[in-house]
Amino acid sequence: MRELELYVHIPFCMKKCAYCDFLSAPADEKEQFAYMEGLLREVAFYGPAFRDAVVSTIYIGGGTPSWLQEDYIAALMQEIYQDFKVAADAEITIECNPGTLTRAKLECYKTNGINRLSIGLQSVHDDELKHLGRVHTFEQFLRNYSLARECGFYNINVDLMNSLPGQTVEKAYQSLIQTIQLKPEHISSYSLIIEKGTPFYDLYKFDVVKLEAGMPPEDLPSEDTAYQIGVMTQDILAQNGYMRYEISNYARKGCACRHNIGYWQRKEYLGLGLGAASLLEEARYSNVRDLEQYIDLSFDCVNLREEVNILSRNTQIEEYMFLGLRMTEGIEKNQFYRTFGFTVGQVYGNVIRRLESEDLICDTPTQLYLTQRGIDLSNYVLAQFLF
């Protein structure tokens, strides 16, 4: 039977973080209610179109889904169960920010089948959290994490962010060690990216230019410091039983995020909610990004998608490569052949030989994957597979 993943976007948060360029913003109760009503209508609209599919994973992201009152999440999950066939062993994740969880919310999540939490810690240092614009402290995170365990959640991801302004290797080390001591099943460790249109870009755009030009920055960590943090992160997590299965993601055995693996393997997924993206058959779709427009269009849902991109064969091959190579196991050659009808060597033979000679990629009879050096230079390596 056809497998389908669901992504559900909750675009609301208590306060926009200084580095964030996601589609999210604060909203009052009236806006939240109208949006969630529209979201339920969208779920009901698409359910009949996927009667032949089994939903293997659900990911409720944002924004801060845990900021919503629990009744909204309960109604959302009940609508999904009513309109879609959800697998008995489905992985169902909700993103949470520290300080927004309560026992009532966690018990509601548990009752409605949510079995995985992704909590955005980012740092154990309150000065770093304040500078990032986060609305929580490390102590609030610890209380919420403990409460989640008490409520029976045994699959928890913790997000950490590194290469922060002024961050040293020692401070990154402390964040990592104190997180590991809590024994979460999964840790995501991302480097801060300074995005245009954010307050951080206004603060650090000249440092970004300097880094791109190979010059030492003033406030952001140098390339050498960022590299040291990356190596330290990988080594310490490995020593503590966390397998690196993707460039930024580490998990204990059996706890890798199935939903995200689906993205990297180009499985079909349906995005629901404001600005949500979908990959269905040979096309990518995106919903409208204006909140009022989304609510208005949700009454019939016919025109919710503002962008449809029919993927060419070349684009599908590019995506297969630069997404698949993000995973440490890389590309399975036989699967590439089954998908496209020719070998990866027929398409990328010259590229592979050159990258292999530079110790950036490992080419075996069955797999193609990044070396450690290739992971360190992944942006460069992955760009080589674009036509």
Side-chain angles (χ1 to χ4, degrees):
M1 184 172 278
R2 183 182 183 186
E3 180 185 350
L4 181 71
E5 299 190 333
L6 291 184
Y7 172 78
V8 185
H9 191 64
I10 307 297
F12 306 127
C13 52
M14 293 176 64
K15 174 178 173 286
K16 193 85 167 175
C17 295
Y19 59 86
C20 180
D21 74 332
F22 295 157
L23 183 55
S24 61
D28 60 27
E29 176 61 30
K30 182 179 178 181
E31 290 174 311
Q32 291 179 37
F33 178 82
Y35 177 77
M36 293 305 294
E37 288 291 298
L39 183 58
L40 297 182
R41 289 190 290 269
E42 187 184 6
V43 172
F45 175 80
Y46 280 113
F50 292 94
R51 294 298 188 197
D52 63 334
V54 172
V55 174
S56 58
T57 69
I58 302 170
Y59 195 101
I60 305 171
T64 307
S66 59
W67 187 43
L68 291 181
Q69 292 302 309
E70 58 269 22
D71 291 349
Y72 285 131
I73 301 299
L76 171 65
M77 291 305 302
Q78 289 163 17
E79 189 69 39
I80 289 173
Y81 288 129
Q82 177 179 311
D83 299 316
F84 290 86
K85 295 176 183 176
V86 180
D89 66 344
E91 174 194 87
I92 306 177
T93 304
I94 187 167
E95 288 184 345
C96 311
N97 273 0
T100 64
L101 290 173
T102 63
R103 185 176 294 277
K105 287 180 181 180
L106 288 163
E107 289 176 349
C108 169
Y109 300 163
K110 195 75 174 172
T111 299
N112 285 279
I114 295 173
N115 50 33
R116 184 175 184 271
L117 305 179
S118 183
I119 307 178
L121 170 58
Q122 315 309 351
S123 172
V124 305
H125 304 287
D126 286 346
D127 60 330
E128 290 184 340
L129 293 173
K130 184 177 180 180
H131 189 59
L132 288 169
R134 305 293 288 178
V135 296
H136 65 88
T137 64
F138 182 46
E139 181 60 34
Q140 287 176 310
F141 165 81
L142 290 175
R143 289 199 297 267
N144 277 187
Y145 185 89
S146 177
L147 186 60
R149 290 301 200 199
E150 289 176 22
C151 291
F153 284 92
Y154 302 112
N155 192 358
I156 298 178
N157 168 64
V158 175
D159 279 347
L160 291 176
M161 187 174 287
N162 56 58
S163 297
L164 306 180
Q167 188 179 53
T168 62
V169 176
E170 177 60 28
K171 291 192 78 170
Y173 172 82
Q174 292 169 3
S175 283
L176 189 60
I177 288 297
Q178 291 186 56
T179 301
I180 290 172
Q181 289 171 348
L182 296 170
K183 299 181 179 180
E185 287 68 32
H186 190 287
I187 295 176
S188 297
S189 179
Y190 299 96
S191 294
L192 171 67
I193 298 175
I194 307 297
E195 301 283 5
K196 291 183 178 180
T198 65
F200 261 26
Y201 185 78
D202 294 335
L203 286 172
Y204 301 115
K205 58 186 174 184
F206 295 114
D207 266 7
V208 172
V209 173
K210 288 180 179 180
L211 283 168
E212 290 175 349
M215 299 168 60
E218 293 183 15
D219 298 303
L220 297 178
S222 66
E223 285 189 1
D224 184 58
T225 298
Y227 175 76
Q228 291 179 50
I229 291 173
V231 171
M232 177 270 296
T233 297
Q234 176 177 294
D235 290 347
I236 290 179
L237 285 172
Q239 292 165 16
N240 286 274
Y242 292 89
M243 177 190 71
R244 187 181 203 172
Y245 69 97
E246 191 269 344
I247 289 173
S248 301
N249 287 277
Y250 304 77
R252 295 190 181 277
K253 187 176 180 180
C255 296
C257 179
R258 288 162 49 193
H259 184 86
N260 285 342
I261 289 174
Y263 288 154
W264 300 317
Q265 293 180 340
R266 296 189 78 253
K267 291 183 179 179
E268 284 192 303
Y269 59 89
L270 173 65
L272 301 165
L274 187 71
S278 304
L279 174 64
L280 300 169
E281 296 180 343
E282 297 179 358
R284 288 192 178 275
Y285 306 87
S286 295
N287 278 357
V288 296
R289 297 174 61 87
D290 179 82
L291 181 61
E292 290 186 10
Q293 185 182 20
Y294 174 85
I295 293 169
D296 289 342
L297 293 175
S298 70
F299 283 96
D300 63 21
C301 295
V302 175
N303 297 308
L304 271 180
R305 291 172 176 167
E306 68 175 358
E307 185 176 329
V308 179
N309 182 16
I310 306 301
L311 302 178
S312 68
R313 193 69 159 171
N314 282 355
T315 299
Q316 293 176 53
I317 293 170
E318 287 177 342
E319 288 190 357
Y320 190 98
M321 297 302 293
F322 69 69
L323 291 173
L325 285 171
R326 291 190 60 88
M327 296 186 294
T328 54
E329 67 178 23
I331 300 297
E332 183 184 346
K333 290 183 174 181
N334 286 341
Q335 183 60 45
F336 183 96
Y337 180 81
R338 288 192 294 270
T339 301
F340 297 110
F342 38 77
T343 70
V344 67
Q346 287 175 300
V347 185
Y348 291 111
N350 291 335
V351 172
I352 292 169
R353 284 188 290 272
R354 175 168 54 81
L355 293 175
E356 192 174 26
S357 72
E358 298 172 5
D359 189 32
L360 295 170
I361 207 161
C362 187
D363 184 15
T364 76
T366 59
Q367 302 289 125
L368 187 70
Y369 58 90
L370 300 185
T371 63
Q372 180 58 58
R373 184 167 184 266
I375 292 174
D376 294 338
L377 299 173
S378 59
N379 288 341
Y380 165 76
V381 178
L382 299 180
Q384 307 309 304
F385 291 92
L386 302 178
F387 292 115

